[in-house]
Amino acid sequence: MAVGPTEGKQPPTETFSPTHQIIAPSPILAVPTLAFSAAQVEIVCKTLEDSGDIERLARFLWSLPVALPNMHEILNCEAVLRARAVVAYHVGNF
């Protein structure tokens, strides 16, 4: 028993139809940013450091927005400075 196209029958071929439209995702309009207080950032940094999850702590510090109104207060917070030092030590960036 033969498997495949039989004589006289051509396998279907796909053709491009100009009536089909390519659907592309729309651009992201405005992604809201979360505004953390310095106390909230301090608690998260302490919790992640105490749990020993340094990689997650690094991702959290990296994800902090740089355009917050209280960013100066957050960056000079003792817990954030300590967390940045712990992450730097962990990755060998002395």
Side-chain angles (χ1 to χ4, degrees):
M1 183 175 255
V3 177
T6 58
E7 287 185 36
K9 291 188 178 180
Q10 295 291 328
T13 59
E14 295 182 23
T15 58
F16 177 73
S17 173
T19 59
H20 290 113
Q21 295 180 359
I22 297 174
I23 300 174
S26 63
I28 297 174
L29 298 176
V31 177
T33 59
L34 299 174
F36 295 111
S37 69
Q40 290 171 322
V41 172
E42 181 178 357
I43 290 170
V44 172
C45 287
K46 285 181 179 179
T47 303
L48 290 173
E49 184 182 346
D50 290 345
S51 71
D53 197 349
I54 306 303
E55 291 178 16
R56 195 168 182 189
L57 177 61
R59 287 193 311 266
F60 174 72
L61 291 172
W62 180 82
S63 71
L64 289 174
V66 294
L68 290 176
N70 60 344
M71 197 60 186
H72 180 71
E73 181 184 353
I74 290 174
L75 291 178
N76 291 328
C77 174
E78 182 180 345
V80 173
L81 293 172
R82 179 178 167 85
R84 291 174 67 196
V86 167
V87 169
Y89 180 79
H90 181 74
V91 296
N93 188 9
F94 308 116

